[in-house]
Amino acid sequence: MKNIFSVKNSLHKPFLFFVFLIFYSSIYSQVFPAKNYPKNYFIYPVDARISLAANFGELRSNHYHMGLDCRTNQVVNRPVKAAAGGYIARVTIAPFGFGQAIYINHPNGLTTVYGHLNKFFPALEKYVKEKQYQQELWNVDLKFPPTLFPVTKGQFIAWSGSTGGSQGPHCHFEIRDTKTDKVLNELLFGLPIPDDVPPTIVRLAMYDRSKSTYSQSPELFSLKKGITRLNNGIGEENYTTIQDVIPVNTDKVSFGISANDKQSGSNNPNGIYEAAIYLDGQPLSAFQLDSISYDETRYVNANVDYKTRASGGPYIQYLSRLPGYPQGVYKDINGDGVIQLKDQHIHRVKIVVKDANENTSVLEFKIRKGAVAQAINSNSFSKDEKEFLPGFVNVFENENLEIYLPAATLYDSVKFTHSEKTSVSPQAYSNVFYILSGLVPAQDYFTVRIKINKPLSGDLSNKILMKRSWKGNSDVVKAIKNGDWYSAKFNAFGDFELIADDEPPVINASFHDDANLSHATRIIITPKDNNDAIKNFRAELDGKWLLFTNDKGHLFIYTFDEKCPRGKHELKISIEDEAGNRAERILHFTR
């Protein structure tokens, strides 16, 4: 009888352990519902070695990277192919962003986007150029009916390039929901991109959530990495903190991680797909990077510790939702991911990080509540200080400055601070107002109103710009006049002042007047403006509009074509800056 019992036990324990493992695994796989995107519907869009320079959800300044950056063997002019059958529904050309891009609508309700292109296929290239001349615009946004440019799967549609906001040759590729225009995570569609590499968790960050995230710097913890395993082609990796038990000197605590992901055979650190946090085995909160529109991508500033990054530190992604951020990429499961410690027991925390191929890394550590510092009364502000709260309209007014923040501007509460100093700019017509800090992000545009501090001549009253500066960078916006007050809208804080700009831009050309350009291939115009703010550019050849490209917003380039036959010509260039100052230059040349 004893031997029978021991045999049953030896069978029963492994069985229970196996059941526990299945249950344990299923908990982590069901935080978000499974995706039902079509697999093998789309092909890889570039005729080049399959390799990614960036993936969906990679963290960027003020936005997520919203697609796959497909490498093109480090050269331009690799063939770009339609990822599936459909029709070209849209073409856009712009100095930044996608540069030259094609949008293809597919019969399954999805749209693919191909960006940073060098040149379209001949029929499309010809059609687009005709539209540019009709509209007298280089930067166009053209919509096409289904019958104009149908395409088949694998059909050549363009040459790859590096146009727009690109820093090297590649093709940006997206898959969107045609109806909602939400961008979907392309790695969920079964593209032939091998990946059995689990994400890398670099560091752990801890926050005292009894106060604003903008009034603190996180406590950072180094990690120990375990052994990487492969389980049915899925990579798994475990991490622990070097410190066995982390003391928490607050009643409310939240965590963040620095993490990245790689594809098989590549050392390029890309973005992670999903992360979830558990307390004592129970899921609290998670985020997943999929189905994000361009209207929502600025919310990356609520997914990351903006202050730490803007101060020159690493990217840290919060595992809890900030109070001014709607759920968005987050899923609140038990609360919003902020842990409230009500005892001094040891608690187990687990963070599960996944990529789009289900490769998984798990960080486990323990926390225990320690001595809690006495909270400082957040309402004890000086005369001109107050707390700005997320989800509320926030207003500040004094005799020289007014600020209006819509309810969706802030992600977390912030102690409003401002100061005023005399401007050193000879263009200035106000003091410089330091408003909050460039270390605090803004989701929405807010209004700044400043009162001029010296008389304006009639000619200058309509030449006033509001200038924002922060850490050596600046931008200007044409200010709207209302008596002695001028207003403008911005979506970043910093130093603000009013300046007058009555200085016209300067037009520099790549040739002198009456030049012989018989052997030249192009004309380059380089405008210069004292505030680096060219608003409008127009070129006319012998009285007719001429197409100059403006890739990356610096040089305006015309490449000689049938629009400029042999002979003598007159080129007229007109430029306008942000303040409305205009410059004109007429040049003659022979070709």
Side-chain angles (χ1 to χ4, degrees):
M1 191 71 172
K2 182 177 178 181
N3 288 337
I4 294 175
F5 179 77
S6 64
V7 170
K8 284 184 177 180
N9 250 344
S10 65
L11 292 173
H12 189 60
K13 285 182 179 179
F15 176 75
L16 285 176
F17 181 68
F18 179 69
V19 170
F20 172 75
L21 280 179
I22 294 175
F23 174 72
Y24 178 84
S25 176
S26 67
I27 288 176
Y28 296 125
S29 63
Q30 293 177 2
V31 170
F32 290 95
K35 305 293 180 178
N36 192 29
Y37 298 148
K39 298 288 173 47
N40 304 315
Y41 185 89
F42 298 108
I43 63 171
Y44 192 74
V46 183
D47 186 6
R49 183 175 66 87
I50 295 177
S51 178
L52 300 183
N55 66 349
F56 184 97
E58 186 171 309
L59 305 173
R60 301 285 176 87
S61 176
N62 294 318
H63 70 285
Y64 293 108
H65 186 256
M66 299 282 274
L68 303 182
D69 278 355
C70 303
R71 286 195 170 100
T72 55
N73 299 349
Q74 299 181 323
V75 296
V76 299
N77 293 330
R78 297 298 303 174
V80 177
K81 305 171 290 186
Y87 69 94
I88 295 177
R90 183 183 179 195
V91 163
T92 59
I93 297 177
F96 303 106
F98 294 155
Q100 298 192 92
I102 289 175
Y103 298 66
I104 297 177
N105 285 1
H106 305 282
N108 64 348
L110 299 176
T111 296
T112 50
V113 183
Y114 313 76
H116 308 309
L117 304 173
N118 219 18
K119 199 171 185 178
F120 308 127
F121 68 90
L124 181 60
E125 184 78 15
K126 179 175 181 293
Y127 183 89
V128 170
K129 187 174 181 179
E130 290 172 354
K131 291 297 181 183
Q132 288 173 313
Y133 271 92
Q134 287 177 15
Q135 299 182 16
E136 295 189 350
L137 287 171
W138 168 73
N139 49 314
V140 292
D141 187 345
L142 305 174
K143 309 292 197 309
F144 304 139
T147 55
L148 189 58
F149 289 110
V151 295
T152 57
K153 189 173 188 175
Q155 178 180 325
F156 167 72
I157 58 170
W159 297 106
S160 69
S162 188
T163 58
S166 168
Q167 297 179 347
H170 71 280
C171 176
H172 178 88
F173 177 67
E174 292 182 2
I175 299 175
R176 299 186 183 184
D177 182 305
T178 306
K179 185 176 181 180
T180 66
D181 212 32
K182 296 246 188 189
V183 187
L184 310 178
N185 194 317
E186 299 80 11
L187 292 176
L188 300 172
F189 286 81
L191 294 171
I193 302 170
D195 184 8
D196 59 8
V197 181
T200 299
I201 307 177
V202 179
R203 64 181 59 84
L204 175 71
M206 183 170 70
Y207 298 85
D208 179 354
R209 294 302 292 274
S210 66
K211 55 187 178 183
S212 170
T213 53
Y214 303 132
S215 64
Q216 62 182 294
S217 295
E219 189 174 355
L220 302 179
F221 299 92
S222 299
L223 306 178
K224 294 186 295 185
K225 184 168 70 170
I227 299 173
T228 303
R229 299 180 302 276
L230 275 177
N231 184 9
N232 294 324
I234 302 297
E236 299 175 354
E237 201 158 66
N238 290 292
Y239 293 80
T240 59
T241 53
I242 293 175
Q243 198 168 345
D244 185 40
V245 179
I246 296 175
V248 178
N249 299 318
T250 178
D251 293 322
K252 294 181 179 180
V253 65
S254 68
F255 293 93
I257 53 168
S258 295
N260 60 67
D261 186 41
K262 298 180 177 70
Q263 276 72 46
S264 297
S266 171
N267 290 320
N268 201 67
N270 298 325
I272 62 172
Y273 169 57
E274 180 183 305
I277 185 168
Y278 298 76
L279 179 68
D280 296 328
Q282 296 299 312
L284 300 181
S285 176
F287 68 80
Q288 186 183 79
L289 300 181
D290 177 46
S291 189
I292 303 171
S293 73
Y294 273 89
D295 291 337
E296 300 166 321
T297 189
R298 190 176 176 86
Y299 277 116
V300 68
N301 293 333
N303 182 213
V304 304
D305 181 342
Y306 184 92
K307 178 184 173 185
T308 294
R309 180 62 181 175
S311 300
Y315 275 120
I316 299 170
Q317 289 178 274
Y318 294 129
L319 295 163
S320 57
R321 184 172 55 85
L322 293 181
Y325 179 26
Q327 287 208 13
V329 302
Y330 286 91
K331 181 175 182 180
D332 296 344
I333 304 168
N334 291 300
D336 59 3
V338 176
I339 297 171
Q340 300 194 34
L341 294 175
K342 299 179 180 179
D343 57 50
Q344 293 184 316
H345 299 154
I346 291 177
H347 295 275
R348 295 175 293 110
V349 179
K350 187 185 298 284
I351 296 169
V352 180
V353 181
K354 294 183 178 182
D355 66 18
N357 279 19
E358 292 290 321
N359 299 301
T360 303
S361 292
V362 178
L363 166 61
E364 296 182 272
F365 58 96
K366 300 170 186 174
I367 60 174
R368 179 164 53 194
K369 183 178 176 181
V372 177
Q374 185 176 357
I376 299 173
N377 184 357
S378 61
N379 295 317
S380 59
F381 301 131
S382 64
K383 178 184 175 183
D384 285 336
E385 291 177 338
K386 58 192 296 188
E387 187 176 26
F388 276 11
L389 300 171
F392 292 86
V393 172
N394 294 282
V395 178
F396 173 83
E397 298 175 338
N398 69 15
E399 63 274 12
N400 296 314
L401 175 68
E402 295 180 357
I403 304 164
Y404 176 88
L405 272 62
T409 305
L410 297 174
Y411 308 123
D412 203 350
S413 60
V414 61
K415 180 179 179 180
F416 175 73
T417 56
H418 82 285
S419 61
E420 184 177 346
K421 63 182 180 181
T422 302
S423 175
V424 298
S425 170
Q427 297 178 298
Y429 275 79
S430 76
N431 287 338
V432 179
F433 296 91
Y434 175 91
I435 301 174
L436 281 173
S437 162
L439 301 179
V440 176
Q443 173 67 20
D444 204 354
Y445 279 88
F446 56 89
T447 301
V448 179
R449 298 184 71 231
I450 298 176
K451 189 176 183 181
I452 59 172
N453 64 359
K454 58 184 178 183
L456 272 170
S457 68
D459 292 340
L460 283 180
S461 61
N462 292 319
K463 304 281 188 179
I464 296 296
L465 304 175
M466 190 175 294
K467 181 179 181 180
R468 173 198 171 268
S469 304
W470 178 256
K471 288 192 173 180
N473 296 316
S474 64
D475 54 302
V476 294
V477 175
K478 181 72 178 290
I480 299 172
K481 184 179 187 298
N482 185 2
D484 290 338
W485 291 80
Y486 285 82
S487 66
K489 292 189 176 183
F490 294 84
N491 62 353
F493 300 109
D495 297 346
F496 296 83
E497 64 180 314
L498 297 177
I499 60 173
D501 179 11
D502 60 354
E503 182 180 333
V506 176
I507 301 172
N508 298 311
S510 59
F511 66 98
H512 58 80
D513 195 25
D514 292 323
N516 187 334
L517 302 183
S518 298
H519 299 291
T521 59
R522 61 184 188 170
I523 292 172
I524 301 175
I525 302 296
T526 310
K528 298 292 184 183
D529 179 64
N530 58 331
N531 288 301
D532 197 23
I534 300 297
K535 185 177 180 180
N536 293 311
F537 173 95
R538 181 178 177 84
E540 293 180 0
L541 183 69
D542 303 326
K544 295 182 179 180
W545 183 83
L546 188 66
L547 189 153
F548 273 73
T549 64
N550 183 222
D551 188 52
K552 296 176 173 52
H554 181 54
L555 304 177
F556 290 82
I557 300 174
Y558 166 67
T559 301
F560 284 115
D561 60 7
E562 74 282 357
K563 300 293 182 180
C564 184
R566 297 290 177 179
K568 292 185 176 182
H569 298 281
E570 179 183 273
L571 178 66
K572 179 181 176 181
I573 304 295
S574 303
I575 294 178
E576 182 183 11
D577 67 14
E578 179 70 15
N581 300 301
R582 292 179 56 84
E584 185 177 288
R585 187 175 179 186
I586 296 176
L587 293 160
H588 301 86
F589 65 90
T590 301
R591 185 165 184 267

